[in-house]
Amino acid sequence: EEPPAKSLFPPPADAAAEEPTDPAAAAADAVANACSAAAEVPRLASIVHEYVRGGCCGDAAAALSTVTRLRKLLSLSGGPPIDECISAGLVPVFIHLLGGAGAVVFEAAWCLTNIVSGTTDHAKAVVDAGAIPPLLNLVQTSPSVETREQAVWCLSNVAGDCASLRDMLLGCGALPSVLSMIEEMATTSQMGPLRNATWCLSNLVRNKPAPALEHVERALPTLAKLLSLDDSELMMDTMWALSHVAEAGGGAADGGGS
């Protein structure tokens, strides 16, 4: 089965163990959690807005704590307050924080990742606010591997949403950045970031209509190298990417790895 095109970070793998077994109770809990999360957003948003308006020179610890709380709310598997965060003007704030330093950059990127994991309108709200250039910059230059992984997860959610957003990312130069990250993570055997960057690469050649052949062909040498690595999850994403390449490029996949 093909991996999902979009996902929360991290995926709520253990959520089933925590949920009530009674469907009615589970539904009631989900509604209560969603209402509670939505009610928190305005207060949290005012704190982060004030911090950014002050040139990010205020209480950095309080700002980090607030953004972290927003990230936890946006990570809820049932009814995360995505619309409320967008309405509160938090998307431009999170994007602004991507240009900072420290843990708040990681948390802001995580918030954006989970916002774009929603609907196409949610993804477009983030894209239209200007998130792609700073996210690509993080993938390329962040000294934190965790932040780079988070940024590439966000880009993967955007690419996996629809062909038009995928093509926008390709036009912004996302493919060379992702390929470079894959090469680096493979060389240093950092498997978690490597898996997520490979998933992003798969999403960059996913969806129909297929991407331009020039992008498809550029991905082939890296995909061929990934086939030599002994990792089941990585192999699955690589094989799905190759299947998308084969569909997009006709016979282009036959000679790309030589």
Side-chain angles (χ1 to χ4, degrees), residues 3-258:
K6 302 172 76 171
S7 177
L8 293 171
F9 181 97
D14 59 348
E18 299 174 357
E19 292 176 355
T21 54
D22 178 18
D29 283 353
V31 171
N33 289 338
C35 292
S36 176
E40 281 193 65
V41 170
R43 177 183 62 83
L44 298 171
S46 67
I47 296 172
V48 185
H49 275 293
E50 182 178 355
Y51 177 70
V52 170
R53 281 196 300 268
C56 300
C57 296
D59 189 339
L64 174 59
S65 176
T66 302
V67 176
T68 301
R69 179 57 186 164
L70 286 163
R71 178 264 294 172
K72 290 179 179 179
L73 296 179
L74 287 165
S75 297
L76 291 172
S77 58
I82 295 176
D83 288 320
E84 289 79 4
C85 285
I86 293 173
S87 296
L90 282 168
V91 169
V93 170
F94 293 145
I95 294 171
H96 180 82
L97 293 173
L98 296 181
V104 73
V105 179
F106 173 78
E107 293 291 348
W110 194 338
C111 287
L112 292 171
T113 297
N114 288 354
I115 289 173
V116 299
S117 74
T119 66
T120 297
D121 285 341
H122 295 150
K124 286 182 176 178
V126 172
V127 169
D128 292 345
I132 301 308
L135 285 168
L136 285 173
N137 184 60
L138 288 176
V139 170
Q140 296 163 352
T141 67
S142 175
S144 165
V145 172
E146 291 78 11
T147 299
R148 294 175 70 188
E149 181 180 13
Q150 186 61 72
V152 86
W153 193 305
C154 189
L155 293 170
S156 187
N157 275 348
V158 173
D161 186 274
C162 62
S164 62
L165 289 178
R166 175 208 67 202
D167 289 343
M168 177 277 304
L169 279 177
L170 291 170
C172 289
L175 184 59
S177 297
V178 172
L179 292 175
S180 178
M181 181 174 172
I182 288 173
E183 294 278 356
E184 180 183 344
M185 296 301 115
T187 300
T188 54
S189 299
Q190 299 186 71
M191 298 308 295
L194 176 59
R195 293 186 192 108
N196 285 320
T198 302
W199 173 52
C200 184
L201 174 57
S202 180
N203 275 351
L204 285 169
V205 294
R206 185 175 184 161
N207 287 320
K208 295 180 180 179
L213 190 57
E214 62 184 282
H215 300 302
V216 170
E217 291 177 333
R218 187 166 189 173
L220 281 171
T222 298
L223 289 169
K225 292 177 184 178
L226 288 171
L227 291 174
S228 66
L229 300 181
D230 185 17
D231 182 89
S232 58
E233 183 178 338
L234 189 66
M235 182 64 66
M236 179 175 64
D237 282 326
T238 301
M239 293 304 294
W240 274 109
L242 285 168
S243 74
H244 298 318
V245 165
E247 290 179 5
D254 295 337
S258 60

